[in-house]
Amino acid sequence: MKLNVNQKTLILGIETSCDETAAAVVENGTVIRSSAVASQIEVHRRFGGVVPEIASRHHVDQITVICEEALSKSGVAWEDLDGIAVTQGPGLIGALLVGVNAAKALAYAHQLPLIPVHHITGHIYANRIVRELHFPLIALVVSGGHTELVHMKEHGSYEVIGTTRDDAAGEAFDKVARTLGLPYPGGPEIDRLAKEGSPVIDFPRAWLEEGSLDFSFSGLKSAVINYVHNEQQRGHKLNHADIAASFQESVSEVLVKKTMMAAERVHAKQILVAGGVSANSKIRLEIEEAARTRSIPLTIPQLALCTDNAAMIAASGTIGFLKGTRADLSLNGRANLNIEDF
């Protein structure tokens, strides 16, 4: 079915999959009318990572305020909305349930369609806020728990042709950051520190079988941890900046080369980069250069749209709305929702 993506729409998006309570109103899937986010980073930093029960409780405290703020800033009334989109999964189940139940209550109270959204499709559709999508395309999704190459032939069609077999890139960043004594979240800290060093340490690259588009970062993570422990045992002074730069170089090289392999394999007309790790300056620079060399158009959202937000959920929800995707009040959160089954 050919979608009329130019149809006028106003969608309220709600996102509570992890530690950000967010709501946004997006017009036509491309224009952000408002965006409100309550971050919990400072709350979880003392624990070195997200504590699910604490995240859920903060979502309960913030969800009503954030939804009201998003609608107020948008300049539209409830009756102007065409639907309410909400992250159904994947994510922390307690956190997801807060957003899902808030969305169900609002949809029921205002007699609006309820549109379930897969969190990763939200990251992908953050790119449509920047530039219209052209198919076929390859989306490199690099977030805290996901590293995937997604082939899209049309709007709302997702084929995973490469995925991580163990640690996702974001998990590796966080674990290496902890090893180096850096605060949570680790990704931005490693990015900052790497700028002060050089990639002089030859950490491994996991290419897997010939032609494979899958990823593996567990070995790299272990190699960095072992290097740090071995150097400490020998009494050597660690150069944290060089370790960060070398680790980042290894991750970037694998991500970029496999993305280009995927793009060439499906004759992609566009490459998208999505997810929190796509805020990394090294990865952005390297993939921009690789795409330019191959003359493949590349889209990467601005930093605020890389991390979890509700504008991306509304953008993806717009496509769901146009496809006729609807949920009733039995909608439930699903911690391990599969993008290809969505």
Side-chain angles (χ1 to χ4, degrees):
M1 180 180 70
K2 180 80 172 172
L3 294 184
N4 177 16
V5 294
N6 296 315
Q7 182 178 327
K8 300 296 183 184
T9 54
L10 277 172
I11 301 293
L12 170 67
I14 297 174
E15 156 63 20
T16 63
S17 66
C18 190
D19 61 341
E20 310 282 5
T21 312
V25 175
V26 172
E27 182 177 353
N28 306 336
T30 59
V31 179
I32 301 174
R33 294 287 293 264
S34 67
S35 181
V37 181
S39 176
Q40 301 177 21
I41 286 178
E42 292 304 319
V43 175
H44 297 285
R45 179 167 283 156
R46 74 184 88 163
F47 304 106
V50 177
V51 181
E53 177 64 21
I54 293 175
S56 302
R57 289 176 181 272
H58 276 270
H59 286 311
V60 171
D61 288 342
Q62 295 293 327
I63 189 66
T64 302
V65 174
I66 289 298
C67 288
E68 290 176 348
E69 181 183 339
L71 198 71
S72 175
K73 285 182 175 178
S74 72
V76 304
W78 288 104
E79 57 266 26
D80 298 321
L81 294 174
D82 292 297
I84 296 176
V86 63
T87 303
Q88 182 185 10
L92 303 174
I93 188 60
L96 289 168
L97 288 173
V98 177
V100 166
N101 282 293
K104 289 197 292 186
L106 291 170
Y108 179 79
H110 299 283
Q111 293 298 291
L112 290 167
L114 179 63
I115 309 148
V117 172
H118 191 287
H119 182 74
I120 297 304
T121 71
H123 278 302
I124 292 171
Y125 271 93
N127 285 274
R128 189 167 178 251
I129 297 172
V130 179
R131 186 174 294 114
E132 190 55 76
L133 307 189
H134 301 284
F135 305 100
L137 63 78
I138 285 292
L140 169 65
V141 180
V142 273
S143 65
H146 299 268
T147 303
E148 296 170 344
L149 287 166
V150 181
H151 176 210
M152 293 180 64
K153 297 179 181 178
E154 60 184 2
H155 282 294
S157 168
Y158 312 100
E159 178 191 6
V160 177
I161 61 174
T163 188
T164 184
R165 298 185 183 179
D166 39 58
D167 285 1
E171 291 171 322
F173 268 95
D174 284 338
K175 289 172 183 176
V176 168
R178 273 200 298 275
T179 300
L180 296 178
L182 300 174
Y184 171 84
E189 295 295 328
I190 285 190
D191 193 6
R192 176 193 56 77
L193 184 60
K195 292 183 173 72
E196 303 172 11
S198 300
V200 293
I201 306 166
D202 187 22
F203 288 132
R205 278 79 164 151
W207 300 112
L208 304 176
E209 306 85 14
E210 184 176 354
S212 173
L213 295 175
D214 283 350
F215 301 95
S216 171
F217 294 107
S218 180
L220 169 61
K221 171 207 67 182
S222 297
V224 176
I225 294 172
N226 289 337
Y227 174 86
V228 170
H229 289 167
N230 289 338
E231 290 297 292
Q232 288 173 333
Q233 287 171 357
R234 294 186 179 109
H236 295 168
K237 184 178 180 180
L238 292 171
N239 187 321
H240 286 63
D242 285 351
I243 295 170
S246 302
F247 164 74
Q248 190 170 261
E249 178 83 11
S250 180
V251 173
S252 177
E253 184 179 343
V254 172
L255 289 175
V256 172
K257 285 192 175 181
K258 295 219 171 195
T259 301
M260 295 307 136
M261 284 171 55
E264 291 167 3
R265 191 171 297 179
V266 305
H267 307 289
K269 294 181 179 178
Q270 188 178 18
I271 295 171
L272 312 180
V273 186
V277 181
S278 65
N280 180 275
S281 61
K282 174 69 173 177
I283 294 170
R284 291 170 85 94
L285 183 66
E286 293 297 324
I287 202 164
E288 284 169 359
E289 178 60 29
R292 183 164 46 250
T293 300
R294 293 164 176 79
S295 299
I296 305 174
L298 172 74
T299 304
I300 310 178
Q302 56 265 42
L303 298 185
L305 290 175
C306 290
T307 52
D308 289 353
N309 64 89
M312 70 183 198
I313 301 304
S316 178
T318 299
I319 299 301
F321 174 78
L322 295 174
K323 287 178 63 180
T325 301
R326 303 289 186 272
D328 58 27
L329 296 182
S330 67
L331 181 69
N332 204 356
R334 290 177 58 188
N336 299 307
L337 191 60
N338 190 325
I339 190 172
E340 291 183 307
D341 295 336
F342 193 72

